[in-house]
Amino acid sequence: MMAKNPSRLISAGALLARRLCTAASATEPEEVVVQAASRSMRQPRLYRRLSALGATGGSAADTLNEYVNEGKVVTKRELTTCIKELRKYHKFQHALEIMEWMENRKVFFTYADYAARLDLLSKTKGLAAAEDYFNNLSPSAKTRATYGSLLNCYCKENMEEKALALFQVMDDMNFASTYLAYNNIMSLFMRLGKPEKVPPLVDEMKKRSISPDTFTYNIWMQSYARLNDIDAAERVLEELKKENNDKLNWTTYSNLAVVYVKARLFEKAKLALKKLEEEMGSHDRRAYHFLISLYAGTNDLNEVNRVWNSLKSAFPKTINMSYLIMFKALVNLNDVDGFDICFEEWKSSCCSFDVRISNIAISAYLGWGMIKDAESTLHEAVKRSSGPFFPALDMFMVHYLKDRKIDMALRYMEEAASEVKNNEWQPAPKRVTAFLKYFEEEKDVEGAEKFCKILKNFGGLDSNAYQLLLQTYEAAGRTAPDAEEDEGR
C-alpha cells in the first residue's frame, strides 16, 4: 500500500527522510518533502547548485545536506527533475550521488527510479555493477522498466549476444511488446555496422501491431542511408506523413538532413532544415543546436550565424553547451574571425570556465598556426578552471611533435604526465612511435632514454617502445644495455 502521509517533516538533526512505502508501486506517490527545522530566505534553486559541481567540485550528497541544513525544502519531485537534467547533460556521477542520497534516506523509489539507478550505475561504475544491482532487486521490482534499462545497457556496450538473449527473455514475459525494446536492438545493430537488420525489425513490429515511435522512424531512415538507399529513406518519411503524422516532429527532419549532408546533397539538406525550423518550438535549445551543426555541414556560414543569433534571442542566458556547438561549427567552417569574436564573448560572460570549450579553442588555434593564442588560452584555463588539462597538453605535444620540435613536445608530455592519475592519459601509440623514430633518425640515444624513462613512469613502456629504443642504440652504433636489466629499471 502507498503511504498516506508522505509529506511528514523531519528535523535536520534527525533522519532527513524515512521510508514512505515498503512495496514498490508503478504509480508515483504523493510529494515527498524533506526539510530542516526552520526556513531561511529564498535561495537559488537546488539544481543550480548541483549543476555547478562539475566546475566547483564537491559531491551531490554534501550539497544536498548543506541545502537542507540551511532550512530549505527538498521534494521528491525536485530531486527527480534534478536527476533528469543532470543525465541530459551527461553529469552521470552527480545524478547517481543524488539517487544514493535518496536511497540512504529511504525515499520512495518507483519502477522508473530503479531503472534510472541501474542506467547510472552502468555509466559510472560499469556494466558489472548494473548487473549486480538488477540481480539484487526484489522480484516485484524486476519490471518492464528495469529489464528495459538493462537491455539498454547491453546495447550501449555493443554486447550483441547478451542483448539478444535478454530480449528473448523479455519477449517471453511480454516485456518486449513496445517500441522501446525494438529501438534498443535497432540501435545496437546500427552501432555494430549491421544496418540491413533494421528494416526486418520494423516489419516484425508491424506484424505484431507494435506502433513505431518517432525514434523508430528516424533510425529506420538512418539504416537506409547507411545502405546508400536515399530513395528508401525518403519513402520512410512519406509513410510517416501518411500513417503516423502525429509522430512527425523536428527530429524527423534533423535526421533526414543528416542523411542528406552525409550524401553531400546540400540543397535537399537545407530544405529539410527549413522544415525542421517550422516544426520546432521557439524555446527548444536542442533544435537550435542541430540547426547550427547541420548548417555548418552544408558549409553555410550565413545560416549558422542567423540561427546563432536566433538562439541568443530566444534564451536570456546562453549556456556553455550552446557555445560548444557554435565553436565546433565555426572551426569546421574555418571562420577564424568569427571564432575569435565568439570566444571573447564567451570568456567575458561565462559563469563557469568550461575546459571543453578552451580545448576546442586550443585545437583550433594550433591548427591555424596561432600558437600564442593557443598558449594564452591554456594559461587562462589554468587560472579559471580546475581542469583536467592533460588533453590540452597532449594537443601541444602533438603539434610540436609534427613540427619536429622535440624538446617542446617532450616538455608538454612531461607536464601532461605529471598531472594524470590512475593512468587517465598516455601518449597514443603512434605518438610514441613518432618520438622514437625521430630519436633513431637523429641517433639521439640520450633523448630516447629520457623519453622512455617518462613513459615508464606511467606504465607506457611496452615491448614495441623498447624495441624502437634498441633500434636507436643500433643506429647510433652504441651497445644496448642488457634487455632484461633495462626492462627492470
Side-chain angles (χ1 to χ4, degrees), residues 186 190 195-196 198-199 202 212-241 247-260 262 272:
M186 289 184 215
M190 290 293 286
E196 71 281 357
V198 171
V202 177
D213 73 337
T214 304
F215 183 86
T216 311
Y217 282 106
N218 288 344
I219 201 164
W220 190 14
M221 278 196 291
Q222 291 170 22
S223 71
Y224 282 127
R226 194 81 64 85
L227 294 167
N228 296 315
D229 192 344
I230 305 300
D231 290 341
E234 291 174 333
R235 286 196 298 273
V236 172
L237 175 62
E238 293 309 311
E239 179 180 321
L240 172 57
K241 289 179 179 179
K247 304 286 177 64
L248 189 152
N249 61 30
W250 70 262
T251 68
T252 308
Y253 290 107
S254 71
N255 271 272
L256 186 62
V258 169
V259 169
Y260 290 142
K262 288 182 177 178

Side-chain angles (χ1 to χ4, degrees), residues 124-229:
T124 58
K125 299 184 179 180
L127 189 55
E131 289 177 316
D132 288 343
Y133 183 77
F134 178 83
N135 291 333
N136 289 321
L137 287 174
S138 66
S140 63
K142 290 182 178 179
T143 63
R144 186 193 304 272
T146 48
Y147 267 100
S149 183
L150 184 60
L151 176 66
N152 180 64
C153 293
Y154 286 148
C155 290
K156 287 289 178 64
E157 295 296 324
N158 294 336
M159 302 183 72
E160 182 178 6
E161 186 175 338
K162 280 193 170 186
L164 293 178
L166 184 62
F167 182 86
Q168 185 59 57
V169 171
M170 292 174 65
D171 200 21
D172 293 341
M173 299 172 71
N174 200 33
F175 286 170
S177 57
T178 69
Y179 58 79
L180 288 173
Y182 278 90
N183 287 350
N184 267 307
I185 298 298
M186 289 184 215
S187 298
L188 170 66
F189 285 140
M190 290 293 286
R191 281 193 292 272
L192 292 175
K194 300 178 179 180
E196 71 281 357
K197 293 197 172 187
V198 171
L201 284 172
V202 177
D203 291 338
E204 184 178 322
M205 290 177 67
K206 291 179 178 180
K207 289 176 183 176
R208 299 177 66 174
S209 299
I210 299 173
S211 180
D213 73 337
T214 304
F215 183 86
T216 311
Y217 282 106
N218 288 344
I219 201 164
W220 190 14
M221 278 196 291
Q222 291 170 22
S223 71
Y224 282 127
R226 194 81 64 85
L227 294 167
N228 296 315
D229 192 344

Side-chain angles (χ1 to χ4, degrees), residues 48-69:
R48 194 175 304 168
R49 294 195 191 184
L50 292 168
S51 64
L53 288 174
T56 62
S59 72
D62 290 342
T63 301
L64 287 165
N65 289 335
E66 179 184 86
Y67 193 84
V68 171
N69 288 333

Side-chain angles (χ1 to χ4, degrees), residues 25 114 118 127 147 208 212 215 223 256 315 319 343 371 398 400 455:
S25 166
Y114 288 124
L118 192 153
L127 189 55
Y147 267 100
R208 299 177 66 174
F215 183 86
S223 71
L256 186 62
F315 298 95
I319 63 173
F343 190 48
I371 311 305
V398 171
Y400 285 115
L455 278 182

Side-chain angles (χ1 to χ4, degrees), residues 88 214-215 218 221-222 237 240 245-258 269 271-294:
K88 183 167 73 174
T214 304
F215 183 86
N218 288 344
M221 278 196 291
Q222 291 170 22
L237 175 62
L240 172 57
N245 193 59
D246 61 315
K247 304 286 177 64
L248 189 152
N249 61 30
W250 70 262
T251 68
T252 308
Y253 290 107
S254 71
N255 271 272
L256 186 62
V258 169
L271 290 174
L273 293 175
K274 292 301 179 186
K275 295 294 292 184
L276 188 163
E277 291 192 64
E278 291 175 13
E279 293 288 337
M280 65 184 267
S282 61
H283 283 77
D284 192 326
R285 204 187 302 265
R286 285 181 63 242
Y288 284 106
H289 291 172
F290 272 90
L291 283 169
I292 290 169
S293 298
L294 289 167

Side-chain angles (χ1 to χ4, degrees), residues 252-381:
T252 308
Y253 290 107
S254 71
N255 271 272
L256 186 62
V258 169
V259 169
Y260 290 142
V261 168
K262 288 182 177 178
R264 302 192 65 78
L265 299 170
F266 294 156
E267 292 307 313
K268 282 192 170 186
K270 290 179 183 180
L271 290 174
L273 293 175
K274 292 301 179 186
K275 295 294 292 184
L276 188 163
E277 291 192 64
E278 291 175 13
E279 293 288 337
M280 65 184 267
S282 61
H283 283 77
D284 192 326
R285 204 187 302 265
R286 285 181 63 242
Y288 284 106
H289 291 172
F290 272 90
L291 283 169
I292 290 169
S293 298
L294 289 167
Y295 273 125
T298 67
N299 299 317
D300 195 329
L301 178 59
N302 289 334
E303 286 298 291
V304 167
N305 286 326
R306 179 185 66 80
V307 174
W308 174 244
N309 289 328
S310 295
L311 184 154
K312 291 196 291 183
S313 296
F315 298 95
K317 173 65 179 175
T318 308
I319 63 173
N320 282 346
M321 180 57 69
S322 296
Y323 276 106
L324 193 70
I325 297 294
M326 185 59 176
F327 289 138
K328 287 180 178 179
L330 293 173
V331 171
N332 290 339
L333 292 167
N334 205 33
D335 183 11
V336 180
D337 292 338
F339 184 94
D340 273 340
I341 293 169
C342 198
F343 190 48
E344 290 302 319
E345 175 188 295
W346 172 73
K347 287 193 295 183
S348 64
S349 64
C350 67
C351 295
S352 62
F353 197 95
D354 191 333
V355 292
R356 295 175 302 170
I357 291 177
S358 60
N359 285 346
I360 288 175
I362 289 168
S363 175
Y365 286 138
L366 290 173
W368 291 326
M370 302 167 66
I371 311 305
K372 289 185 178 180
D373 294 271
E375 290 173 344
S376 66
T377 300
L378 176 58
H379 294 155
E380 187 165 6

